[in-house]
Structures are given as structure tokens and as C-alpha cells.
Amino acid sequence: MDTGEKIKYFRNMRGISQEMLGQLAGINSATIKKYEYGIRNPKPDQLLKIANALGISINIFMDFDIETVSDVLSLLFKMDEQIDMKFEAEKDTDGNYNPSTLKISFKNRAINKKLCTYLKAKDLQEKLANDTDSFADETQHKEAMKAMESDIEEIKNHLIDDSMIIQKGTEGIAVKVFPQ
């Protein structure tokens, strides 16, 4: 999904019109329409207003190009600094960690539960990918795979639609309130 599609998706999830989103964000509704149709791209300050009006993180609109080991590690290290993560691995007889046994989890039950939901969806996708015999031909299988990819995108969007604060040092359940 591009930025405009994401704006439209979360606006519709909230059940609000383009006009209402415009009012909440302090942006002309015609501009919201242009963003949603991909005619214009919002500048960062406009995107922040829209994210705040929708009650979602601006990070939802960011597309990260993760291509290198450095990209992955920098994200993981930043996450470890700010939230309670757990890295585990088995040790060999010399006391060295075995890289093939590495596991990453979070000390937050809500995150782990959401990741398990995502894992289940990915399992279903893999089963479908391997199940070519249930389809009359390759075209039907490809259509089913495309529908599954769409379903997984929908699941991901529902999973990330959560403003619970999980920063290290926070206790209990707190919901981030976005300033207007």
C-alpha cells in the first residue's frame, strides 16, 4: 500500500469521511482526497497531522528499505534500547552462542500475541503456496495466492492499529494520546 491507500484504509477503519479527517487534521478535505488518490503526497508535517487525527503512529506510513545486515541490526538495537526485548540462544560446549538457535521475543504479551497471529497467517500462506494440487490450474492457484497476500496485508494493518505504549519503564496499560 502506498501512503494514500494507507490514509484511506485507516480513515475507513475509523468510519470517518474525508471531510471529517480534514477537519480533525486541520487540512482541506480536497487535499485529503488528493492524497488518497495519489495525486499528491503529503509532506511530513501534513502526514503527522493525519496520523494524529487517525490516532495511529506516523511510522505506519514509513517504508523502510531493509537491505543490509547493518539495516537489520540498527533497527534491532534501537528497538532493544527502547522496548523490552529478549534475545536467546543455546550455547555450545565452549560457552559460545549457537547462531542457528537464536530467538527474539518481547516481554510484552500483546506484541507476542500479535506476532503469533501474524505467524499463523504466514503458515496458512505457506500451506497454500505448497498446495497446488487443490486447484484446477496454475491460474487459479496464482489468484488464490494473490488473495492470500491481500488478506495478510489486511491482518498486518489490523495488528499495527494499536497505540499501547510499550516503552521501557512504562508500567501497566497506557494508550498514547496524540496532540491536535
Side-chain angles (χ1 to χ4, degrees):
M1 265 192 235
D2 64 23
T3 300
E5 291 169 329
K6 289 177 184 177
I7 292 169
K8 183 177 182 179
Y9 176 85
F10 285 100
R11 178 181 60 75
N12 286 332
M13 251 179 113
R14 300 292 185 266
I16 60 175
S17 66
Q18 290 172 335
E19 292 76 21
M20 178 61 74
L21 177 57
Q23 289 175 1
L24 292 170
I27 299 171
N28 187 302
S29 62
T31 303
I32 298 290
K33 187 175 191 173
K34 289 177 184 176
Y35 293 158
E36 288 187 4
Y37 284 109
I39 296 168
R40 289 181 53 191
N41 285 319
K43 293 179 182 174
D45 63 323
Q46 299 293 85
L47 199 55
L48 181 59
K49 290 177 183 180
I50 291 168
N52 287 343
L54 292 170
I56 58 176
S57 170
I58 193 169
N59 292 326
I60 288 172
F61 297 109
M62 304 300 149
D63 289 325
F64 301 102
D65 290 327
I66 302 172
E67 299 174 349
T68 67
V69 171
S70 177
D71 294 338
V72 172
L73 292 177
S74 62
L75 285 172
L76 286 171
F77 295 156
K78 189 61 149 173
M79 289 170 58
D80 188 44
E81 288 173 15
Q82 295 184 13
I83 61 173
D84 289 320
M85 291 179 63
K86 185 176 182 181
F87 296 93
E88 298 176 276
E90 296 174 10
K91 291 183 180 181
D92 62 20
T93 55
D94 296 327
N96 298 314
Y97 288 108
N98 180 346
S100 66
T101 65
L102 179 67
K103 296 177 185 176
I104 300 172
S105 62
F106 300 87
K107 295 180 183 175
N108 181 288
R109 179 171 157 66
I111 293 174
N112 289 334
K113 187 174 180 182
K114 287 175 180 271
L115 287 172
C116 285
T117 299
Y118 178 69
L119 187 60
K120 185 175 181 179
K122 294 296 282 183
D123 282 347
L124 291 172
Q125 183 181 37
E126 186 175 339
K127 285 179 186 174
L128 181 63
N130 295 325
D131 184 23
T132 56
D133 296 337
S134 297
F135 298 91
D137 57 31
E138 189 176 331
T139 303
Q140 280 187 346
H141 186 250
K142 285 183 180 178
E143 287 173 3
M145 287 298 298
K146 188 174 180 176
M148 176 61 84
E149 287 175 23
S150 177
D151 290 346
I152 287 181
E153 279 303 309
E154 182 83 11
I155 289 167
K156 287 177 4 184
N157 284 331
H158 278 283
L159 293 173
I160 63 174
D161 188 17
D162 190 331
S163 298
M164 183 188 317
I165 296 175
I166 57 160
Q167 191 172 17
K168 281 185 179 178
T170 59
E171 296 290 329
I173 297 175
V175 176
K176 185 172 183 178
V177 177
F178 294 94
Q180 291 296 317

